[in-house]
Amino acid sequence: MQIIVFLGAPGAGKGTAAVRIAEKLPAKHISTGAMLREAVKNGTPAGLAAKSYMDAGSLVPDSVLIDMIGELLTASTPDSVFLFDGFPRNESQAAALDELAVKFNAEVGPAVCIDVCEELLLKRLGGRRVCPACGAGFHVLSLPPKVEGVCDVCQAKLITRADDQPETIKHRLEVYEEQTAPLIEWYKKAGKLRMVDGSGDADAVADAIMEVIR
Ligand code: AP5
């Protein structure tokens, strides 16, 4: 079992790149943000525990995430290749992932950090539109749908994510700096870090990631 980790600030393009890389490798794309949004939608115990944190742009308690990832790995086969987008998000989650990796005989890495300046992060988050039905992501300028406001994949009406409001974005960026950015050093020390410039278009970023993953 192999677990590739994607790091990067909110709006860096982790999800957009993960969809492309998962198809190229192939690997299974695991977005903890998407899993939590689904849990909230379905009113599951994990969703009920997560909702207020997500609305505020804060991290959901570690125990919720670690249980989710533990269940996922328990249900997986030894030859699975995962692309984790949004987990781990702090040092205690990274330590838990290392423990799970020992338990499931999995290799963690490489950890790919998509690097984007704050000005571009704000533009990307401000123009993001998502499909509430299938989860596909778009951007009003850089990745517009074929028909304005309509999902290319399933034709549902696109929405703005609840946590893409200016005040919540500001808090999410602060949380990233305080809690998630230290993981860059964590994976650097482990010899697993691969930095990638995320400022190019979506295909260019995916190509750059494929280069460092190989
Ligand atoms: P999550 O869904 O993981 O949000 P995030 O990390 O804030 O990341 P985003 O999804 O906002 O950004 P992205 O980097 O994926 O960018 P995207 O590809 O969409 O988490 C949401 C919440 O869930 C968290 O706040 C927290 O509450 C909770 N949570 C999740 N995981 C957790 C964990 N492990 N522990 C605790 N809590 C957790 O791109 C953004 C926009 O830019 C899009 O419009 C896209 O079309 C566009 N774009 C992307 N790349 C390019 C490009 N190369 N060129 C042009 N446009 C691009």
Side-chain angles (χ1 to χ4, degrees), residues 11 13-16 32 37 58 86 89 93 128 138 142 172 200:
K14 302 180 294 297
T16 303
T32 46
R37 282 186 287 279
S58 299
R89 207 75 158 218
Q93 292 183 13
R128 173 163 56 189
F138 302 88
S142 60
R172 285 163 62 207

Side-chain angles (χ1 to χ4, degrees), residues 7-201:
L7 300 171
K14 302 180 294 297
T16 303
V19 169
R20 288 165 167 74
I21 303 297
E23 197 183 326
K24 283 175 196 260
L25 282 176
K28 193 163 167 42
H29 173 201
I30 302 297
S31 160
T32 46
M35 287 169 79
L36 288 167
R37 282 186 287 279
E38 189 64 19
V40 169
K41 198 164 88 182
N42 295 332
T44 67
L48 294 175
K51 187 175 183 321
S52 61
Y53 297 93
M54 297 178 78
D55 287 347
S58 299
L59 293 188
V60 172
D62 292 338
S63 57
V64 174
L65 274 298
I66 293 166
D67 286 354
M68 253 170 47
I69 296 296
E71 279 171 27
L72 172 88
L73 297 184
T74 304
S76 306
T77 54
D79 58 350
S80 303
V81 179
F82 290 106
L83 213 166
F84 277 12
D85 153 16
F87 184 92
R89 207 75 158 218
N90 57 29
E91 291 188 355
S92 92
Q93 292 183 13
L97 179 58
D98 285 346
E99 280 176 27
L100 286 168
V102 172
K103 181 173 169 192
F104 290 96
N105 197 21
E107 182 192 339
V108 178
V112 178
C113 179
I114 305 177
D115 188 31
V116 171
C117 69
E118 186 166 326
E119 191 189 343
L120 191 49
L121 292 175
L122 294 173
K123 282 186 185 156
R124 286 187 178 171
L125 290 170
R128 173 163 56 189
R129 299 293 179 269
V130 294
C131 176
C134 74
F138 302 88
H139 189 278
V140 289
L141 299 176
S142 60
L143 280 173
K146 291 186 186 108
V147 177
E148 193 183 331
V150 178
C151 177
D152 287 354
V153 183
C154 72
Q155 281 71 53
K157 192 167 180 274
L158 300 178
I159 58 164
T160 300
R161 241 168 69 174
D163 59 355
D164 276 348
Q165 303 305 322
E167 270 312 300
T168 320
I169 287 175
K170 186 168 169 277
H171 182 59
R172 285 163 62 207
L173 292 173
E174 288 164 0
V175 168
Y176 173 78
E177 279 308 322
E178 280 165 23
Q179 301 192 46
T180 310
L183 293 185
I184 296 174
E185 197 53 35
W186 173 285
Y187 285 112
K188 192 174 177 184
K189 275 192 190 144
K192 294 176 176 176
L193 182 70
R194 307 284 182 273
M195 291 299 289
V196 167
D197 176 8
S199 61
D201 68 27

